[in-house]
Amino acid sequence: MAFARSFLDSLKRSIINNAIIISTFAIISSVSAQVQLTNRTTEAGLSVIHNPHKDIIPTGMQWMTGGMAVGDFNNDGYQDLYWICGGGDPDRLFINHGNGSFAEQAVSWGIDEIHGGCGAAVGDYDGDGWDDIYVSSFGTVDQAGEPGHNRLYHNNGNGTFTEVAQAAGVNYASQSAPGGFGAAFGDYDLDGDLDLMVTRWGDELSGNRLYQNNGDGTFTDVTNAALGPSIFGVWGFQPAFIDMNGDLYPELLIAGDFEASRYYLNNGDGTFTDQTVASGTGLDDNGMGQTVADFNNDGLFDWYVTSIHQTNPPPDNNIGNMLYMNLGSNIFDEVSIQAGVNDGGWGWGTVAVDLDNNGFVDIVEVNGRPANQWLDERGKLFYNNGDGTFSEIAEAAGFNQLDQGLALCYADTDNDGDQDIFAFTNAGPLLYYVNDTVPSGAWLRITLDTSNNPLLAPRGFGTLAKVTVGKNTYIRYMNSAPSYLGTSEWAMHFGLGNAKVIDELRLVWSRGYETVLTNVPVNQQLLIQAPELADLDADGVVSVADLLMLFARWGIVQDSSALVADLNNDGAVTTLDLLILFANWG
């Protein structure tokens, strides 16, 4: 106990602004020579087959469906997995034991429904501290062909879920057609609760819906007012919320089929502007999956969209994946061919992960179509060479996913400091790959607690983390990495190469608070608590310094620079905010 207390005291002294580190543990590692993924599906107890029901899901959509989502549903510190079976069998919930094995507990949790599920997203929509699950669904056999049967499973915090989608007002993606495809939670208005975007692949005009969280367990459909007519007719596969330009407000990115991918700029007033053409994005002819990361470590988030690549012959509309490199100011340069990531086959799910912890983010992608040149095509692992190019190493790394790969998720399932992979096969098995890369570089994994600040979204959605080691700075964003019909863990993972210590860890929370830690040891997990509502400088106390910060923003209206001082979230810094600050004084 004396050693542990001494270690924690030493660690606390290295933290500027009294940020709170709640848990930490360490291991020893070094830089990797070769990525190695090992299929441990059977040993882990994760044997399950996707079985899409032909009388529920329309024939032309069955082969595109099948999702899953990662979440710590029992809050024990280990990542669990929700799996959609597609209506031929009950859905599954695999609870992580933390010892390399999982237990299937869908029945006891009340989530073993038999329905035509398609995609899933995880988020604590009511801020009660427990991960909830949203599922797009074509309904049951009796409901086939009807709209309005998507699911929202509320986590009761006692080992059970309750389905509340209709009561919450989020049970449809289209009011005229059944089902939906991808979904993503995100606090687009920065009011401290998670909103929801749901997309649908289809030709009906109203097939994509943006739901604003009312803060009382219900949502309001704001699609038309927030997105305007450009969303009509979008064949949406997967949305994601992420701040691409550094103004705190997250943009809405949609991977869409038939030249329908969209880059929506968040205006900060509850509306979005379609900047697809102006930004240089939307060049993918058949956008399906997506992932966002800083692939060249320049401090800007890039956007990777999977699509269809055909070589025999190469028609104009099957030109492959797109890698949009962020040049700043919402302008992008498409470089997929030069980077070596253009050919992903018939691409679906994709994730950005640093598999060997060397400081450069790699790309994993699953693909396939049960026909022609894409039949039984191996999934892709594009290894980041650190020079703007990638090398495809799936076979050498042991990533042997074949056939119709759909969803893809990552999670540090064993808390050992590297990212493990879940791969979903349409009408086929779940595949679980444990990351056995040895040796591997140093690492840092960050989770966030925002329960003490009502204006910060649960799990710290929208927080930007910057890690500086020497001359190198790495960035991550908290949003659970929506991919294709699935979401990954709510954590920010950094590979740090040969680093022995982190010179600076800077967190920029979604409202502009900044928490800074220095001389942080590598190879550990940090659970960091957010600053209090009126603690503008995040030093652990509301004092004169915070008062001066508030006065410096006095009268500013609808500007992200004032968010940190807009304590009542009315869009302006006024006397009301001053009163809230004094109420929290000291």
Side-chain angles (χ1 to χ4, degrees):
M1 286 296 293
F3 171 79
R5 188 177 296 111
S6 174
F7 173 74
L8 288 175
D9 288 343
S10 175
L11 190 57
K12 289 177 181 177
R13 285 193 295 271
S14 74
I15 302 172
I16 298 175
N17 293 341
N18 295 325
I20 300 176
I21 297 179
I22 302 176
S23 66
T24 177
F25 69 89
I27 64 171
I28 299 172
S29 63
S30 60
V31 177
S32 166
Q34 172 62 54
V35 172
Q36 182 61 52
L37 300 177
T38 305
N39 187 335
R40 297 242 177 90
T41 310
T42 303
E43 303 95 302
L46 291 169
S47 298
V48 62
I49 301 292
H50 178 237
N51 185 12
H53 198 296
K54 294 178 174 55
D55 294 330
I56 301 176
I57 303 174
T59 301
M61 296 185 183
Q62 290 167 13
W63 64 282
M64 301 186 294
T65 63
M68 57 185 169
V70 172
D72 183 4
F73 300 116
N74 57 2
N75 278 350
D76 68 348
Y78 289 95
Q79 299 300 308
D80 312 306
L81 181 72
Y82 167 74
W83 166 275
I84 295 172
C85 275
D89 293 297
D91 291 346
R92 305 288 201 271
L93 181 66
F94 295 101
I95 299 298
N96 191 339
H97 284 158
N99 61 359
S101 68
F102 294 74
E104 204 291 296
Q105 298 181 7
V107 173
S108 63
W109 282 72
I111 202 170
D112 60 324
E113 290 195 77
I114 301 177
H115 66 108
C118 185
V122 168
D124 180 9
Y125 78 92
D126 59 349
D128 65 354
W130 298 88
D131 285 341
D132 311 302
I133 308 174
Y134 185 83
V135 185
S136 61
S137 176
F138 290 86
T140 64
V141 172
D142 294 337
Q143 299 163 341
E146 301 176 0
H149 296 295
N150 293 346
R151 269 72 169 152
L152 176 60
Y153 295 113
H154 175 260
N155 190 332
N156 300 315
N158 61 359
T160 66
F161 285 94
T162 300
E163 203 289 297
V164 298
Q166 186 169 354
V170 294
N171 54 309
Y172 63 89
S174 168
Q175 293 178 315
S176 60
F181 272 74
F185 285 102
D187 185 10
Y188 78 88
D189 50 5
L190 300 185
D191 64 351
D193 47 38
L194 291 176
D195 311 302
L196 177 67
M197 182 71 199
V198 189
T199 53
R200 187 184 189 280
W201 185 89
D203 57 2
E204 70 280 352
L205 290 179
S206 59
N208 306 279
R209 313 311 300 169
L210 176 61
Y211 293 105
Q212 184 180 43
N213 195 323
N214 299 321
D216 61 0
T218 68
F219 295 76
T220 298
D221 182 349
V222 297
T223 310
N224 295 341
L227 296 174
S230 71
I231 191 64
F232 298 153
V234 169
W235 295 62
F237 270 133
Q238 182 62 51
F241 290 98
I242 185 166
D243 178 16
M244 300 294 285
N245 60 9
D247 69 351
L248 301 180
Y249 288 97
E251 274 61 61
L252 171 61
L253 309 180
I254 297 178
D257 205 356
F258 305 120
E259 301 180 352
S261 290
R262 293 288 186 268
Y263 182 94
Y264 285 106
L265 176 66
N266 192 328
N267 299 317
D269 60 1
T271 68
F272 294 82
T273 298
D274 184 357
Q275 290 283 101
T276 309
V277 175
S279 66
T281 62
L283 304 177
D284 44 280
D285 288 306
N286 309 96
M288 292 185 273
Q290 63 169 305
T291 190
V292 173
D294 181 9
F295 293 110
N296 58 355
N297 289 340
D298 66 350
L300 299 170
F301 287 115
D302 313 304
W303 186 23
Y304 182 69
V305 180
T306 61
S307 188
I308 303 170
H309 185 279
Q310 186 169 359
T311 57
N312 188 23
D316 292 339
N317 63 341
N318 286 350
I319 58 176
N321 302 330
M322 297 287 117
L323 176 56
Y324 304 110
M325 301 303 292
N326 195 336
L327 304 179
S329 302
N330 301 297
I331 302 296
F332 294 80
D333 182 24
E334 201 292 301
V335 300
S336 60
I337 294 178
Q338 304 94 301
V341 295
N342 177 254
D343 183 1
W346 193 290
W348 294 107
T350 182
V351 291
V353 288
D354 184 354
L355 289 170
D356 61 355
N357 289 338
N358 71 342
F360 290 97
V361 179
D362 313 304
I363 298 173
V364 186
E365 177 183 348
V366 290
N367 53 50
R369 179 182 178 179
N372 304 328
Q373 67 192 69
W374 304 286
L375 184 63
D376 293 332
E377 185 170 13
R378 182 188 293 274
K380 307 294 185 181
L381 200 171
F382 295 111
Y383 182 80
N384 192 332
N385 298 317
D387 60 0
T389 68
F390 294 75
S391 297
E392 207 291 295
I393 63 166
E395 186 172 4
F399 185 58
N400 57 358
Q401 192 278 333
L402 295 172
D403 204 10
Q404 181 74 359
L406 265 291
L408 198 61
C409 301
Y410 65 79
D412 186 355
T413 57
D414 45 11
N415 289 347
D416 67 347
D418 53 34
Q419 296 295 300
D420 309 303
I421 300 292
F422 296 106
F424 191 110
T425 309
N426 176 272
L430 163 64
L431 298 175
Y432 169 56
Y433 294 93
V434 174
N435 192 337
D436 285 331
T437 302
V438 177
S440 184
W443 56 275
L444 179 71
R445 183 174 182 268
I446 300 171
T447 54
L448 303 174
D449 176 10
T450 55
S451 59
N452 61 330
N453 191 321
L455 288 184
L456 298 178
R459 306 292 190 195
F461 176 90
T463 301
L464 172 68
K466 300 181 181 180
V467 166
T468 299
V469 178
K471 297 180 180 180
N472 299 316
T473 297
Y474 311 96
I475 62 172
R476 301 290 186 269
Y477 190 83
M478 185 70 85
N479 73 337
S480 81
S483 173
Y484 177 81
L485 308 185
T487 48
S488 297
E489 64 178 1
W490 283 91
M492 294 182 286
H493 170 265
F494 291 85
L496 300 171
N498 288 318
K500 303 300 181 185
V501 68
I502 295 167
D503 297 322
E504 180 182 274
L505 166 59
R506 181 178 298 268
L507 296 180
V508 182
W509 303 84
S510 61
R511 300 284 295 191
Y513 303 91
E514 293 196 17
T515 297
V516 182
L517 295 73
T518 59
N519 300 321
V520 179
V522 299
N523 301 332
Q524 62 172 319
Q525 295 197 74
L526 299 181
L527 173 58
I528 303 178
Q529 187 170 329
E532 299 280 351
L533 175 64
D535 184 12
L536 308 190
D537 64 354
D539 69 348
V541 62
V542 180
S543 63
V544 173
D546 304 298
L547 183 63
L548 294 176
M549 286 183 65
L550 187 146
F551 281 138
R553 293 160 174 79
W554 191 265
I556 296 178
V557 177
Q558 294 295 349
D559 191 292
S560 61
S561 66
L563 281 171
V564 69
D566 182 11
L567 303 181
N568 67 344
N569 195 37
D570 67 352
V573 181
T574 64
T575 302
L576 295 176
D577 304 300
L578 181 62
L579 293 175
I580 293 174
L581 188 145
F582 281 137
N584 289 275
W585 193 265

